[in-house]
Amino acid sequence: SKPAESQALNFIRTVGPLRHSDLAPILDVETVHRGCSRVQLNAGVRMWLETVEKHYKRRPIVYTSDSFLKDWLDEEISENYPIWIARYSDREPQFNDWVFWQFTDKAAVFGIPSPCDLSVVRN
């Protein structure tokens, strides 16, 4: 619900410089605020991605669900940016070109005291 460019600049200010070994910046987009159209949402997503990519000189990752990607995001986004799908299932995401797949938010990992997210990375 806030302007995409100001959100991107806030991200850049908060995160600061990236090291070579850091993941690329990630945009989490899973909901639409009341009154926001598909056109407005995609324009904002593109603005955020382009602003962050220009600053870091690294292509950001888009984190979203299968259904949100299919129902809301333009192919221009899914075809040009790595996609991290949140799909809590043992079946692979419907979107075939995913790079990351978060398949649970209830993983038991030694050393972490509570359930946590777990993802796989496609090479």
Side-chain angles (χ1 to χ4, degrees), residues 9-123:
L9 296 174
N10 181 55
F11 180 93
I12 292 165
R13 250 189 332 274
T14 303
V15 171
L18 294 178
R19 295 172 301 200
H20 176 71
S21 59
D22 289 337
L23 276 176
I26 301 167
L27 174 63
D28 183 337
V29 58
E30 302 177 79
T31 59
V32 179
H33 293 275
R34 185 181 317 263
C36 182
S37 71
R38 181 185 171 126
V39 170
Q40 291 169 318
L41 174 76
N42 282 278
V45 167
R46 280 192 302 278
M47 168 64 76
W48 192 96
L49 292 169
E50 291 165 4
T51 303
V52 169
E53 183 173 3
K54 182 177 179 182
H55 176 80
Y56 287 110
K57 298 179 179 35
R58 292 175 74 179
R59 188 151 293 209
I61 298 165
V62 176
Y63 174 90
T64 192
S65 68
D66 260 347
S67 60
F68 195 87
L69 181 66
K70 181 179 73 117
D71 295 341
W72 284 94
L73 296 179
D74 290 344
E75 285 182 5
E76 177 188 344
I77 293 166
S78 62
E79 290 176 356
N80 291 296
Y81 291 90
I83 303 295
W84 190 333
I85 292 286
R87 178 183 170 100
Y88 304 148
S89 170
D90 57 354
R91 292 191 330 258
E92 282 197 31
Q94 294 171 350
F95 177 73
N96 292 322
D97 292 330
W98 58 269
V99 176
F100 299 90
W101 168 26
Q102 181 182 335
F103 60 90
T104 187
D105 61 350
K106 296 177 176 39
V109 176
F110 181 77
I112 299 176
S114 58
C116 63
D117 300 344
L118 203 56
S119 298
V120 294
V121 180
R122 178 183 280 166
N123 286 340

